[in-house]
Amino acid sequence: LLKTHRGRVAVAVKHLKTGAEFYHQADEPMPTASLIKFPVMVEAFWQWHEKKIAFDTVLTLKKEHRVPGSGVLTSHFSDGATFPLRD
């Protein structure tokens, strides 16, 4: 899969029970793209479970939040748009 992929790829995995490891360009910085959403969502649900956050908290989109790679937030919403954390 790594050889046939047409983009840049970095992989680092470790089997926690056996200790087996595999690395491919693991030290190369890579853009996280949408993959970053998964651990952020896990942390949000953990904090909700621990009653540290509420999903009805309203967040405001600001200019400094709009960075390359932020998907629809970059071009489809105006500064000052508000969203419940749930969304």
Coordinates of all heavy atoms in Angstrom, one line a residue:
L1 N 0.8 -1.2 0.0 CA 0.0 0.0 0.0 C 0.9 1.3 0.0 O 0.5 2.2 -0.7 CB -0.9 0.0 1.2 CG -2.1 -1.0 1.2 CD1 -2.8 -1.0 2.5 CD2 -3.0 -0.7 0.0
L2 N 1.9 1.2 0.8 CA 2.8 2.4 0.8 C 3.4 2.7 -0.6 O 3.5 3.9 -1.0 CB 3.9 2.2 1.8 CG 3.5 2.2 3.3 CD1 4.6 1.8 4.2 CD2 2.8 3.5 3.7
K3 N 3.9 1.7 -1.3 CA 4.5 1.9 -2.6 C 3.6 2.3 -3.6 O 3.9 3.1 -4.5 CB 5.2 0.6 -3.0 CG 6.4 0.2 -2.2 CD 7.0 -1.1 -2.6 CE 8.2 -1.5 -1.7 NZ 8.8 -2.8 -2.1
T4 N 2.3 1.9 -3.6 CA 1.3 2.3 -4.6 C 0.6 3.6 -4.4 O 0.0 4.2 -5.3 CB 0.3 1.2 -4.8 OG1 -0.4 1.0 -3.6 CG2 0.9 -0.1 -5.2
H5 N 0.7 4.1 -3.1 CA 0.1 5.4 -2.8 C 0.8 6.5 -3.6 O 2.0 6.6 -3.6 CB 0.1 5.6 -1.3 CG -0.6 6.9 -0.9 ND1 -2.0 7.0 -1.0 CD2 -0.2 8.1 -0.5 CE1 -2.3 8.2 -0.6 NE2 -1.3 8.9 -0.3
R6 N 0.1 7.4 -4.1 CA 0.7 8.5 -4.9 C 1.0 9.8 -4.1 O 1.6 10.7 -4.6 CB -0.2 8.9 -6.1 CG -0.3 7.8 -7.1 CD -0.9 8.4 -8.4 NE -2.3 7.9 -8.4 CZ -3.2 8.2 -9.3 NH1 -2.8 9.0 -10.3 NH2 -4.4 7.8 -9.3
G7 N 0.7 9.8 -2.8 CA 1.1 10.9 -2.0 C 2.2 10.6 -1.0 O 2.8 9.5 -1.1
R8 N 2.5 11.5 -0.2 CA 3.5 11.3 0.9 C 2.8 10.5 2.0 O 1.7 10.9 2.4 CB 4.1 12.6 1.4 CG 4.9 13.3 0.3 CD 5.5 14.6 0.8 NE 5.9 14.5 2.2 CZ 5.9 15.6 3.0 NH1 5.4 16.7 2.6 NH2 6.3 15.5 4.2
V9 N 3.5 9.6 2.6 CA 2.9 8.8 3.7 C 4.0 8.6 4.8 O 5.1 8.4 4.5 CB 2.5 7.4 3.2 CG1 2.0 6.5 4.3 CG2 1.5 7.4 2.1
A10 N 3.5 8.7 6.0 CA 4.3 8.4 7.2 C 3.5 7.5 8.1 O 2.3 7.7 8.2 CB 4.7 9.6 7.9
V11 N 4.1 6.5 8.6 CA 3.4 5.5 9.5 C 4.2 5.2 10.7 O 5.5 5.0 10.6 CB 3.1 4.2 8.7 CG1 2.4 3.2 9.6 CG2 2.3 4.4 7.4
A12 N 3.6 5.1 11.8 CA 4.2 4.6 13.1 C 3.2 3.8 13.8 O 2.2 4.4 14.2 CB 4.8 5.8 13.9
V13 N 3.4 2.5 14.0 CA 2.4 1.7 14.7 C 3.2 0.8 15.7 O 4.3 0.4 15.4 CB 1.5 0.9 13.8 CG1 0.6 1.7 13.0 CG2 2.4 0.0 12.9
K14 N 2.5 0.5 16.8 CA 3.1 -0.4 17.8 C 2.0 -1.3 18.3 O 1.0 -0.8 18.8 CB 3.8 0.3 18.9 CG 4.4 -0.6 19.9 CD 5.2 0.2 21.0 CE 5.9 -0.7 21.9 NZ 6.7 0.0 22.9
H15 N 2.2 -2.6 18.3 CA 1.3 -3.6 18.9 C 1.6 -3.6 20.4 O 2.7 -4.0 20.8 CB 1.5 -5.0 18.3 CG 0.4 -5.9 18.7 ND1 0.3 -6.5 19.9 CD2 -0.6 -6.4 17.9 CE1 -0.7 -7.3 19.9 NE2 -1.3 -7.2 18.7
L16 N 0.6 -3.1 21.2 CA 0.9 -2.9 22.6 C 1.1 -4.2 23.4 O 1.8 -4.2 24.4 CB -0.3 -2.1 23.2 CG -0.4 -0.7 22.7 CD1 -1.6 0.1 23.3 CD2 0.9 0.1 22.8
K17 N 0.5 -5.3 22.9 CA 0.7 -6.6 23.7 C 2.0 -7.2 23.3 O 2.7 -7.8 24.2 CB -0.5 -7.5 23.4 CG -1.8 -7.1 24.0 CD -2.8 -8.1 23.8 CE -4.1 -7.7 24.5 NZ -5.2 -8.6 24.4
T18 N 2.4 -7.2 22.0 CA 3.6 -7.9 21.6 C 4.8 -7.0 21.6 O 6.0 -7.5 21.6 CB 3.4 -8.6 20.2 OG1 3.3 -7.6 19.3 CG2 2.2 -9.5 20.2
G19 N 4.6 -5.7 21.4 CA 5.7 -4.8 21.3 C 6.2 -4.7 19.9 O 7.1 -3.9 19.6
A20 N 5.6 -5.4 18.9 CA 6.0 -5.3 17.5 C 5.8 -3.9 17.0 O 4.8 -3.3 17.3 CB 5.2 -6.3 16.7
E21 N 6.7 -3.4 16.2 CA 6.7 -2.0 15.7 C 6.9 -2.0 14.2 O 7.6 -2.8 13.7 CB 7.7 -1.2 16.4 CG 7.6 -1.1 17.9 CD 8.7 -0.3 18.5 OE1 9.9 -0.4 18.0 OE2 8.5 0.3 19.6
F22 N 6.3 -1.0 13.6 CA 6.6 -0.7 12.2 C 6.7 0.8 12.0 O 5.8 1.5 12.5 CB 5.5 -1.3 11.3 CG 5.7 -0.9 9.8 CD1 6.7 -1.6 9.0 CD2 5.0 0.1 9.3 CE1 6.9 -1.2 7.7 CE2 5.2 0.5 7.9 CZ 6.1 -0.2 7.2
Y23 N 7.7 1.2 11.3 CA 7.9 2.7 11.1 C 8.2 2.9 9.6 O 9.0 2.1 9.0 CB 9.0 3.2 11.9 CG 8.8 3.1 13.4 CD1 9.4 2.1 14.1 CD2 8.0 4.0 14.1 CE1 9.2 2.0 15.5 CE2 7.8 3.9 15.4 CZ 8.4 2.9 16.1 OH 8.2 2.8 17.5
H24 N 7.6 3.9 9.0 CA 7.9 4.3 7.6 C 7.9 5.8 7.6 O 6.8 6.4 7.8 CB 6.9 3.7 6.6 CG 7.1 4.2 5.2 ND1 8.1 3.8 4.4 CD2 6.5 5.2 4.5 CE1 8.1 4.4 3.3 NE2 7.1 5.3 3.3
Q25 N 9.0 6.4 7.5 CA 9.1 7.9 7.5 C 8.4 8.5 8.7 O 7.8 9.6 8.6 CB 8.6 8.5 6.2 CG 9.3 8.1 4.9 CD 8.8 8.7 3.7 OE1 7.8 9.5 3.7 NE2 9.4 8.5 2.6
A26 N 8.5 7.8 9.8 CA 7.8 8.2 11.0 C 8.3 9.6 11.6 O 7.5 10.2 12.3 CB 8.0 7.1 12.1
D27 N 9.5 10.0 11.3 CA 10.0 11.3 11.8 C 9.7 12.4 10.8 O 10.1 13.6 11.1 CB 11.5 11.2 12.1 CG 11.7 10.2 13.2 OD1 10.9 10.1 14.1 OD2 12.8 9.6 13.2
E28 N 9.0 12.1 9.7 CA 8.7 13.2 8.7 C 7.5 13.9 9.1 O 6.4 13.3 9.3 CB 8.5 12.6 7.3 CG 9.7 12.0 6.7 CD 10.7 13.1 6.3 OE1 10.2 14.2 5.7 OE2 11.9 13.0 6.5
P29 N 7.5 15.3 9.3 CA 6.3 16.0 9.6 C 5.3 15.9 8.4 O 5.7 16.0 7.3 CB 6.8 17.5 9.7 CG 8.3 17.4 9.9 CD 8.7 16.1 9.2
M30 N 4.1 15.6 8.8 CA 3.0 15.5 7.8 C 1.8 16.3 8.3 O 1.5 16.4 9.5 CB 2.6 14.0 7.7 CG 3.6 13.1 7.2 SD 3.7 13.2 5.4 CE 5.1 12.2 5.1
P31 N 1.0 16.8 7.3 CA -0.2 17.5 7.7 C -1.2 16.4 8.2 O -1.3 15.3 7.7 CB -0.7 18.1 6.4 CG 0.0 17.4 5.3 CD 1.3 16.9 5.9
T32 N -1.9 16.7 9.3 CA -2.8 15.8 9.9 C -4.1 15.7 9.1 O -4.8 14.7 9.2 CB -3.1 16.1 11.3 OG1 -3.6 17.4 11.4 CG2 -1.9 16.0 12.2
A33 N -4.5 16.7 8.4 CA -5.8 16.7 7.6 C -6.9 16.3 8.6 O -6.9 16.7 9.7 CB -5.7 15.8 6.4
S34 N -7.9 15.6 8.1 CA -9.0 15.3 8.9 C -8.8 14.3 10.0 O -9.6 14.1 10.9 CB -10.2 14.7 8.0 OG -10.7 15.8 7.2
L35 N -7.6 13.6 10.0 CA -7.3 12.6 11.0 C -7.3 13.3 12.4 O -7.6 12.6 13.4 CB -5.9 12.0 10.7 CG -5.5 10.9 11.6 CD1 -6.5 9.7 11.6 CD2 -4.1 10.4 11.2
I36 N -7.0 14.5 12.5 CA -6.9 15.2 13.8 C -8.3 15.3 14.4 O -8.4 15.3 15.7 CB -6.3 16.7 13.6 CG1 -6.0 17.3 15.0 CG2 -7.3 17.6 12.9 CD1 -4.8 16.6 15.6
K37 N -9.3 15.1 13.7 CA -10.7 15.2 14.2 C -11.0 14.0 15.2 O -11.7 14.2 16.2 CB -11.8 15.2 13.1 CG -11.7 16.4 12.3 CD -12.7 16.2 11.1 CE -12.5 17.4 10.1 NZ -13.3 17.2 8.9
F38 N -10.4 12.9 14.9 CA -10.7 11.7 15.8 C -10.2 11.9 17.2 O -11.0 11.8 18.2 CB -10.1 10.5 15.2 CG -10.3 9.2 16.0 CD1 -11.6 8.7 16.1 CD2 -9.3 8.6 16.6 CE1 -11.8 7.6 16.8 CE2 -9.5 7.5 17.4 CZ -10.8 7.0 17.5
P39 N -8.9 12.2 17.5 CA -8.5 12.4 18.9 C -9.2 13.6 19.5 O -9.4 13.6 20.8 CB -7.0 12.5 18.8 CG -6.7 12.8 17.4 CD -7.8 12.3 16.6
V40 N -9.4 14.6 18.8 CA -10.1 15.8 19.3 C -11.5 15.4 19.8 O -12.0 15.8 20.9 CB -10.2 17.0 18.3 CG1 -11.1 18.1 18.8 CG2 -8.8 17.5 18.1
M41 N -12.2 14.6 19.0 CA -13.6 14.1 19.3 C -13.5 13.2 20.5 O -14.4 13.3 21.4 CB -14.2 13.4 18.1 CG -15.7 13.0 18.4 SD -16.5 12.4 16.9 CE -15.5 11.0 16.6
V42 N -12.5 12.3 20.6 CA -12.4 11.4 21.8 C -12.2 12.3 23.0 O -12.9 12.0 24.0 CB -11.2 10.5 21.6 CG1 -10.9 9.7 22.8 CG2 -11.5 9.5 20.4
E43 N -11.3 13.3 23.0 CA -11.1 14.1 24.1 C -12.4 14.9 24.5 O -12.7 15.0 25.7 CB -9.9 15.1 23.9 CG -9.6 16.0 25.0 CD -9.1 15.3 26.3 OE1 -8.7 14.1 26.2 OE2 -9.2 15.9 27.4
A44 N -13.1 15.4 23.5 CA -14.3 16.1 23.8 C -15.3 15.2 24.5 O -15.9 15.6 25.5 CB -14.9 16.7 22.5
F45 N -15.5 14.0 24.1 CA -16.4 13.1 24.7 C -15.9 12.7 26.1 O -16.7 12.6 27.0 CB -16.7 11.9 23.9 CG -17.8 12.1 22.9 CD1 -17.4 12.4 21.5 CD2 -19.1 12.0 23.2 CE1 -18.4 12.6 20.6 CE2 -20.1 12.2 22.3 CZ -19.8 12.5 21.0
W46 N -14.6 12.6 26.3 CA -14.1 12.3 27.6 C -14.4 13.4 28.6 O -14.8 13.2 29.7 CB -12.6 12.0 27.5 CG -12.0 11.7 28.8 CD1 -11.2 12.6 29.6 CD2 -12.1 10.6 29.6 NE1 -10.8 12.0 30.8 CE2 -11.4 10.8 30.8 CE3 -12.8 9.4 29.5 CZ2 -11.3 9.8 31.8 CZ3 -12.8 8.4 30.5 CH2 -12.0 8.6 31.6
Q47 N -14.1 14.7 28.1 CA -14.3 15.8 29.0 C -15.8 16.0 29.3 O -16.2 16.4 30.4 CB -13.7 17.1 28.3 CG -12.2 17.1 28.4 CD -11.7 18.4 28.0 OE1 -12.3 19.5 28.2 NE2 -10.4 18.4 27.5
W48 N -16.7 15.7 28.3 CA -18.1 15.7 28.5 C -18.5 14.7 29.6 O -19.2 15.0 30.5 CB -18.9 15.5 27.2 CG -20.3 15.3 27.4 CD1 -21.3 16.2 27.6 CD2 -21.0 14.0 27.5 NE1 -22.5 15.7 27.8 CE2 -22.4 14.3 27.7 CE3 -20.6 12.7 27.4 CZ2 -23.3 13.3 27.8 CZ3 -21.6 11.7 27.5 CH2 -22.9 12.0 27.7
H49 N -18.0 13.5 29.5 CA -18.2 12.4 30.4 C -17.8 12.8 31.9 O -18.5 12.5 32.8 CB -17.5 11.1 30.0 CG -17.7 10.0 31.0 ND1 -18.9 9.3 31.1 CD2 -16.9 9.4 31.9 CE1 -18.8 8.4 32.0 NE2 -17.5 8.4 32.5
E50 N -16.7 13.5 31.9 CA -16.1 14.0 33.2 C -16.8 15.3 33.7 O -16.4 15.9 34.7 CB -14.6 14.2 33.1 CG -13.9 12.9 32.9 CD -13.9 12.0 34.1 OE1 -13.6 12.4 35.2 OE2 -14.2 10.8 33.9
K51 N -17.8 15.8 32.9 CA -18.5 17.0 33.2 C -17.6 18.2 33.2 O -17.9 19.2 34.0 CB -19.3 16.9 34.5 CG -20.4 15.8 34.4 CD -21.2 15.8 35.7 CE -22.3 14.7 35.7 NZ -22.4 13.7 34.7
K52 N -16.6 18.2 32.4 CA -15.7 19.4 32.3 C -16.2 20.3 31.2 O -15.8 21.5 31.2 CB -14.3 18.9 31.9 CG -13.6 18.1 33.1 CD -12.2 17.7 32.7 CE -11.6 17.0 33.9 NZ -10.3 16.5 33.6
I53 N -17.0 19.8 30.2 CA -17.5 20.7 29.1 C -19.0 20.3 28.9 O -19.4 19.2 29.4 CB -16.7 20.5 27.8 CG1 -16.9 19.1 27.3 CG2 -15.3 21.0 27.9 CD1 -16.3 18.9 25.9
A54 N -19.7 21.2 28.3 CA -21.1 20.9 27.9 C -21.2 21.1 26.4 O -20.7 22.0 25.9 CB -22.0 21.9 28.6
F55 N -21.9 20.2 25.8 CA -22.0 20.2 24.3 C -22.9 21.4 23.8 O -22.9 21.7 22.7 CB -22.5 18.9 23.8 CG -21.5 17.8 23.8 CD1 -21.8 16.5 24.1 CD2 -20.2 18.1 23.4 CE1 -20.8 15.5 24.0 CE2 -19.2 17.1 23.4 CZ -19.5 15.8 23.7
D56 N -23.6 22.0 24.7 CA -24.4 23.2 24.3 C -23.7 24.5 24.4 O -24.2 25.5 24.1 CB -25.8 23.2 25.0 CG -25.6 23.3 26.6 OD1 -24.5 23.2 27.1 OD2 -26.6 23.5 27.2
T57 N -22.4 24.4 24.9 CA -21.5 25.6 24.9 C -21.4 26.2 23.5 O -21.2 25.4 22.5 CB -20.1 25.2 25.4 OG1 -20.3 24.7 26.7 CG2 -19.2 26.4 25.4
V58 N -21.6 27.5 23.4 CA -21.5 28.1 22.0 C -20.1 28.6 21.8 O -19.5 29.3 22.6 CB -22.5 29.3 21.9 CG1 -22.4 30.0 20.6 CG2 -24.0 28.7 22.1
L59 N -19.6 28.2 20.6 CA -18.2 28.6 20.2 C -18.4 29.7 19.0 O -19.3 29.6 18.2 CB -17.4 27.4 19.6 CG -17.3 26.3 20.6 CD1 -16.6 25.1 19.9 CD2 -16.5 26.7 21.8
T60 N -17.5 30.6 19.0 CA -17.6 31.7 17.9 C -16.4 31.5 17.0 O -15.2 31.5 17.5 CB -17.6 33.1 18.6 OG1 -18.7 33.2 19.5 CG2 -17.6 34.2 17.5
L61 N -16.6 31.4 15.7 CA -15.6 31.3 14.7 C -14.9 32.7 14.6 O -15.6 33.7 14.3 CB -16.2 30.9 13.4 CG -15.2 30.7 12.2 CD1 -14.1 29.7 12.5 CD2 -15.9 30.4 10.9
K62 N -13.6 32.8 14.8 CA -12.9 34.0 14.6 C -11.9 33.9 13.5 O -11.5 32.8 13.0 CB -12.1 34.3 15.9 CG -13.0 34.5 17.1 CD -12.2 34.7 18.4 CE -13.2 34.8 19.6 NZ -12.4 34.9 20.8
K63 N -11.4 35.0 13.0 CA -10.5 35.1 11.9 C -9.2 34.2 12.2 O -8.8 33.5 11.3 CB -10.0 36.5 11.6 CG -9.2 36.6 10.4 CD -8.9 38.1 10.1 CE -8.1 38.2 8.8 NZ -7.8 39.6 8.4
E64 N -8.7 34.2 13.4 CA -7.5 33.4 13.7 C -7.7 31.9 13.7 O -6.8 31.1 13.6 CB -6.9 33.8 15.0 CG -7.8 33.7 16.2 CD -8.5 35.0 16.5 OE1 -8.7 35.8 15.6 OE2 -8.9 35.2 17.7
H65 N -9.0 31.5 13.7 CA -9.3 30.0 13.6 C -9.3 29.6 12.1 O -9.2 28.4 11.9 CB -10.7 29.8 14.1 CG -10.9 30.1 15.6 ND1 -12.1 30.5 16.1 CD2 -10.0 30.1 16.6 CE1 -11.9 30.8 17.4 NE2 -10.7 30.5 17.7
R66 N -9.3 30.5 11.2 CA -9.4 30.1 9.8 C -8.0 30.0 9.2 O -7.3 31.0 8.9 CB -10.1 31.2 9.0 CG -11.6 31.3 9.6 CD -12.2 32.6 9.1 NE -12.6 32.3 7.7 CZ -13.7 32.7 7.2 NH1 -14.4 33.6 7.8 NH2 -14.0 32.4 5.9
V67 N -7.5 28.8 9.1 CA -6.2 28.5 8.6 C -6.3 27.5 7.5 O -7.3 26.8 7.3 CB -5.3 27.8 9.8 CG1 -5.1 28.8 10.9 CG2 -5.9 26.5 10.3
P68 N -5.3 27.4 6.6 CA -5.3 26.5 5.5 C -5.6 25.1 6.0 O -5.0 24.7 7.0 CB -4.0 26.6 4.9 CG -3.5 28.0 5.2 CD -4.1 28.2 6.6
G69 N -6.5 24.4 5.4 CA -6.8 23.0 5.8 C -7.9 22.9 6.8 O -8.3 21.9 7.2
S70 N -8.6 24.1 7.1 CA -9.7 24.0 8.0 C -11.0 23.8 7.3 O -12.1 24.1 7.8 CB -9.8 25.3 8.9 OG -9.8 26.4 8.1
G71 N -11.0 23.3 6.1 CA -12.2 22.9 5.3 C -13.2 23.9 5.1 O -12.9 25.1 4.8
V72 N -14.5 23.6 5.4 CA -15.6 24.5 5.1 C -15.5 25.7 6.0 O -16.1 26.8 5.7 CB -16.9 23.8 5.3 CG1 -17.1 22.7 4.3 CG2 -17.2 23.3 6.7
L73 N -14.8 25.7 7.1 CA -14.7 26.8 8.0 C -14.0 28.0 7.3 O -14.2 29.2 7.6 CB -13.9 26.5 9.3 CG -14.6 25.5 10.2 CD1 -13.7 25.2 11.4 CD2 -16.0 26.0 10.7
T74 N -13.1 27.7 6.3 CA -12.3 28.7 5.7 C -13.1 29.5 4.7 O -13.0 30.8 4.7 CB -11.2 28.0 4.9 OG1 -10.4 27.2 5.8 CG2 -10.3 29.0 4.2
S75 N -14.0 28.9 3.9 CA -14.7 29.7 2.9 C -16.2 29.8 3.0 O -16.8 30.6 2.3 CB -14.3 29.1 1.5 OG -14.7 27.8 1.5
H76 N -16.8 29.0 3.8 CA -18.2 28.9 3.9 C -18.9 29.6 5.1 O -20.1 29.8 5.1 CB -18.7 27.5 3.8 CG -18.4 26.8 2.5 ND1 -19.1 27.0 1.4 CD2 -17.4 26.0 2.2 CE1 -18.6 26.3 0.4 NE2 -17.5 25.6 0.9
F77 N -18.1 30.1 6.0 CA -18.7 30.7 7.2 C -18.0 32.1 7.4 O -16.8 32.2 7.2 CB -18.5 29.9 8.4 CG -19.3 28.6 8.4 CD1 -18.8 27.4 8.1 CD2 -20.7 28.7 8.6 CE1 -19.5 26.3 8.0 CE2 -21.5 27.5 8.6 CZ -20.9 26.3 8.2
S78 N -18.7 33.0 7.9 CA -18.2 34.4 8.2 C -17.6 34.4 9.6 O -18.0 33.7 10.5 CB -19.3 35.4 8.1 OG -20.0 35.4 6.9
D79 N -16.7 35.3 9.8 CA -16.1 35.6 11.1 C -17.3 36.0 12.0 O -18.2 36.7 11.6 CB -15.1 36.7 11.1 CG -13.8 36.4 10.4 OD1 -13.6 35.2 10.2 OD2 -13.1 37.3 9.9
G80 N -17.3 35.4 13.2 CA -18.4 35.7 14.1 C -19.5 34.6 14.1 O -20.4 34.7 14.9
A81 N -19.5 33.7 13.1 CA -20.5 32.7 13.1 C -20.4 31.9 14.4 O -19.3 31.7 15.0 CB -20.3 31.7 11.9
T82 N -21.5 31.4 14.9 CA -21.5 30.7 16.2 C -22.0 29.3 16.0 O -22.9 29.0 15.1 CB -22.3 31.4 17.3 OG1 -23.7 31.5 16.8 CG2 -21.8 32.7 17.6
F83 N -21.5 28.3 16.8 CA -21.9 26.9 16.7 C -21.9 26.3 18.1 O -21.0 26.6 18.9 CB -20.8 26.1 15.9 CG -20.5 26.7 14.6 CD1 -19.5 27.6 14.4 CD2 -21.2 26.3 13.5 CE1 -19.2 28.2 13.2 CE2 -20.9 26.9 12.2 CZ -19.9 27.8 12.1
P84 N -22.9 25.5 18.4 CA -22.8 24.7 19.6 C -21.6 23.7 19.5 O -21.3 23.2 18.5 CB -24.1 24.0 19.7 CG -24.9 24.4 18.6 CD -24.1 25.2 17.7
L85 N -20.9 23.5 20.6 CA -19.8 22.6 20.6 C -20.2 21.2 20.0 O -19.4 20.6 19.3 CB -19.3 22.4 22.1 CG -18.1 21.4 22.2 CD1 -16.9 21.9 21.4 CD2 -17.7 21.4 23.7
R86 N -21.4 20.8 20.3 CA -22.0 19.6 19.7 C -21.8 19.5 18.2 O -21.5 18.4 17.7 CB -23.4 19.4 20.1 CG -24.1 18.2 19.5 CD -25.6 18.1 19.8 NE -25.8 17.7 21.2 CZ -26.1 18.5 22.2 NH1 -26.3 19.8 22.0 NH2 -26.2 18.1 23.5
D87 N -21.9 20.6 17.5 CA -21.8 20.6 16.1 C -20.3 20.7 15.6 O -20.0 20.4 14.5 CB -22.6 21.8 15.5 CG -24.1 21.7 15.7 OD1 -24.5 20.6 16.0 OD2 -24.8 22.7 15.6

